Amino acid sequence: MDPAATRALWIPAGTPHQTAALASTAMRSLNISPGPGLPGWSLPQPLAVGPLVAVLIDHLAGALAPEHRARAQAVLIDNLAPVAARSIEVLMPAGPRALDVARALVADPADPRTLAQWGRQVGSSARTLARAFAAGIGLTFARWRTAVRLRAALGHLARGEPVTRVAGRAGYATPSAFVAAFVRETGLTPGSYFHGGPPEV
């Protein structure tokens, strides 16, 4: 496992799921054998990945005798630590003009155009676009754009880029505005999101 990895995701058996990545990504998947001592998480749970857990994941990904696998799995389970980070989900509106706006902003989250300016671009009014976002995904346009910008920022943060640079890439005028939005949406600062820090109080 990549030594820079800081997160894993526990997915309970039988949970429908799919994976996607914002950039080139290496991923390791493990099937954990049923048995005593497994966590009782009924929903997917983000986990911290320290050096020991990373080594154990690599070890368990190899071909092991059943007794060796059972011992290594028990050590792994004992060292799983949940993290209190919320994911950033971006849904897309259904209306064709709103969808055009959404796709353009996903491609370039830093685009500063207002909803009225986007309306002129796609041949719609700001009010019609606002209704399309609210009806289709249950969010205001501003709240949806915040989610787009923050999700785009995650890839840069995961690569260790400084917050000052990430803020600009995500469309924020200042790092403090970016940090405030990040904490409001995730409960964590950008620095602690990938490094197991405590939730922001």
Side-chain angles (χ1 to χ4, degrees), residues 5 29 49-50 55 57-58 70 86 97 104 116-117 119 123 126 129 134 145 148 157 164 172 175 182-183 189 199:
S29 296
V49 174
V55 168
I57 289 173
D58 268 344
R86 294 198 297 270
R97 289 181 174 83
Q117 291 170 323
L129 287 175
R145 177 154 61 182
V148 168
L157 292 170
T164 50
Y172 288 90
F182 198 97
V183 170
T189 64

Side-chain angles (χ1 to χ4, degrees), residues 53-192:
V53 169
V55 168
L56 286 167
I57 289 173
D58 268 344
H59 183 60
L60 283 163
L64 299 174
E67 63 274 16
H68 294 162
R69 176 171 297 278
R71 288 197 294 270
Q73 179 176 299
V75 177
L76 174 66
I77 297 301
D78 282 346
N79 284 276
L80 295 181
V83 291
R86 294 198 297 270
S87 62
I88 299 171
E89 185 176 20
V90 174
L91 302 176
M92 301 296 273
R97 289 181 174 83
L99 186 58
D100 286 344
V101 173
R103 286 173 173 162
L105 281 169
V106 168
D108 182 12
D111 191 313
R113 279 179 281 185
T114 66
L115 202 53
Q117 291 170 323
W118 278 112
R120 290 192 289 273
Q121 173 76 23
V122 300
S124 181
S125 70
R127 181 174 296 181
T128 298
L129 287 175
R131 284 199 300 266
F133 275 90
I137 56 180
L139 294 175
T140 65
F141 172 73
R143 187 73 182 271
W144 178 86
R145 177 154 61 182
T146 295
V148 168
R149 289 177 166 179
L150 296 183
R151 191 181 72 166
L154 290 179
H156 301 299
L157 292 170
R159 289 190 289 272
E161 295 183 25
V163 168
T164 50
R165 183 187 306 164
V166 175
R169 288 188 170 188
Y172 288 90
T174 65
S176 60
F178 168 64
V179 171
F182 198 97
V183 170
R184 186 169 61 249
E185 294 297 322
T186 69
L188 297 170
T189 64
S192 62

Side-chain angles (χ1 to χ4, degrees), residues 25-45:
T25 303
M27 186 180 73
R28 181 82 77 185
S29 296
L30 290 180
N31 291 317
I32 300 297
S33 304
L38 294 183
W41 300 314
S42 59
L43 296 173
Q45 173 62 57

